Amino acid sequence: MHFKLCFKEYEYALTNEFYIDYENRFGKCARNTLRKVWFAAASCNSDSHHRLLEICCAIGDIIGQRDAAWLLWRIAKTKNPMIRLDEIEDGVERTAGVSNEADDVFAQSYHHILLGIALADEGELAKKASEARKDSEASEEEAEEKA
């Protein structure tokens, strides 16, 4: 998986180590924070420009700019251990505005990057649940064939 921040692309992974580090640092569940980001965006229902502002404000209430920078840095660090926090902080600062060049994914606000990560995480969870179900059904079929 990857995200694009301030004209740079970063590979990332949402690992168990990340979730543990997040909870140790902030005292709350990272996955729940990402779900709140998703819910906040889904709950906004204004017209287009005001909707962007509403989404950014709602997400900002859930996770502030500095904590968002740390989250993005930590997940990017899973694929690139040499990445520095100040690089991500700079990118987040530069993309903190609501009206960035909307047509350019490299200039999207960090709020939208977090939303994309939240949606990707939910997609991965759904995929894992489906695979677990198939594995369970296959095991049951094998057991029935042996019986």
Side-chain angles (χ1 to χ4, degrees):
M1 295 188 289
H2 67 276
F3 65 86
K4 297 172 181 177
L5 174 68
C6 200
F7 304 99
K8 288 186 82 174
E9 188 167 352
Y10 300 92
E11 292 292 322
Y12 76 92
L14 297 170
T15 63
N16 286 334
E17 293 80 16
F18 157 70
Y19 287 112
I20 291 166
D21 286 354
Y22 188 93
E23 190 161 341
N24 287 339
R25 181 177 177 97
F26 299 110
K28 55 187 174 183
C29 174
R31 182 161 281 135
N32 194 41
T33 299
L34 290 172
R35 284 183 175 147
K36 286 179 180 181
V37 164
W38 179 22
F39 181 75
S43 298
C44 296
N45 57 11
S46 308
D47 64 32
S48 62
H49 181 70
H50 290 103
R51 180 176 161 80
L52 289 175
L53 181 58
E54 189 178 359
I55 289 171
C56 290
C57 289
I59 291 172
D61 285 344
I62 294 161
I63 182 168
Q65 186 172 323
R66 292 185 53 136
D67 294 349
W70 187 91
L71 184 151
L72 294 173
W73 167 74
R74 182 59 184 82
I75 64 175
K77 190 177 170 186
T78 60
K79 296 291 186 176
N80 180 3
M82 300 306 291
I83 195 164
R84 294 183 356 249
L85 177 58
D86 64 333
E87 176 181 332
I88 300 297
E89 287 174 332
D90 182 62
V92 166
E93 175 65 30
R94 291 172 187 258
T95 62
V98 174
S99 59
N100 286 309
E101 300 167 38
D103 292 336
D104 190 343
V105 294
F106 282 100
Q108 287 182 333
S109 74
Y110 73 88
H111 308 91
H112 291 90
I113 295 167
L114 290 175
L115 177 57
I117 290 168
L119 294 172
D121 186 40
E122 287 297 320
E124 286 295 312
L125 287 175
K127 183 176 155 185
K128 287 177 184 178
S130 177
E131 290 170 358
R133 182 178 182 172
K134 288 177 187 174
D135 291 346
S136 177
E137 290 171 352
S139 296
E140 288 175 10
E141 289 175 8
E142 286 180 25
E144 288 176 8
E145 288 175 6
K146 290 180 181 179

